[in-house]
């Protein structure tokens, strides 16, 4: 294999790693239970992938601008409620209007000027 092919394979592997990290953090999948049967592990991975795809479909259909973590958090709250309540809570306007830390104004801090050394010319 050439160096370019190895680099491309590493990029693909890294994308897969990032996808599984995202999937584990959003679905709170902390551990894949190992078994002596490799088919059981593969089945568990397939179930996790199906669950992630369903959650992403839910997000894209009902709240495309929301993050998947927020959609899942609201979904967990309204799992026994109605779809109308879920959508109402999911798409409600923000209550907080903070724009972050503000400058209080006043006199600006003064910093001593740093003199740059002049180049020596011969």
């Amino acid at each position: 294999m050439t160096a370019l092919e190895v680099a491309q394979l590493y990029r693909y592997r890294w994308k897969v790693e990032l996808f599984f990290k995202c999937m584990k953090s959003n679905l709170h999948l902390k551990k894949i239970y190992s078994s002596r049967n490799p088919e059981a592990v593969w089945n568990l991975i397939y179930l996790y992938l199906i669950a992630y795809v369903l959650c992403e479909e839910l997000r894209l259909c009902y709240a495309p601008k929301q993050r998947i973590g927020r959609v899942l958090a609201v979904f967990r709250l309204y799992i026994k409620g109605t779809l109308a309540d879920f959508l109402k809570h999911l798409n409600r306007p923000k209550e907080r209007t903070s724009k972050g830390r503000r400058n209080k104004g006043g006199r600006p801090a003064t910093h001593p000027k740093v003199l740059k050394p002049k180049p020596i010319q011969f």
Side-chain angles (χ1 to χ4, degrees):
M1 292 177 64
T2 66
L4 187 61
E5 291 173 336
V6 171
Q8 190 63 32
L9 286 174
Y10 184 75
R11 282 188 204 102
Y12 290 146
R13 183 181 181 275
W14 188 246
K15 286 181 181 182
V16 170
E17 291 287 335
L18 289 176
F19 171 74
F20 273 97
K21 179 183 177 188
C22 175
M23 188 175 71
K24 284 175 66 176
S25 65
N26 288 323
L27 294 177
H28 302 290
L29 308 174
K30 300 299 179 196
K31 184 178 179 180
I32 292 180
Y33 296 100
S34 61
S35 171
R36 295 181 194 265
N37 185 1
E39 290 177 7
V41 175
W42 279 108
N43 288 340
L44 197 56
I45 290 172
Y46 288 139
L47 286 173
Y48 287 165
L49 286 172
I50 290 169
Y52 183 80
V53 168
L54 289 174
C55 293
E56 186 66 21
E57 182 69 23
L58 178 72
R59 183 188 74 81
L60 289 174
C61 287
Y62 295 113
K65 292 184 180 180
Q66 298 283 343
R67 293 175 296 128
I68 192 168
R70 166 118 167 81
V71 173
L72 289 174
V74 174
F75 182 74
R76 285 185 191 104
L77 287 174
Y78 289 92
I79 191 82
K80 294 183 180 179
T82 64
L83 180 62
D85 291 339
F86 167 69
L87 294 176
K88 182 178 161 187
H89 184 87
L90 188 63
N91 295 317
R92 72 177 184 199
K94 291 182 179 180
E95 294 175 0
R96 296 181 185 177
T97 59
S98 174
K99 294 182 181 176
R101 190 173 180 178
R102 297 285 181 101
N103 187 0
K104 293 182 182 178
R107 200 168 96 199
T110 57
H111 299 285
K113 291 184 179 180
V114 177
L115 298 176
K116 293 182 182 179
K118 293 183 180 179
I120 301 173
Q121 296 179 355
F122 294 100

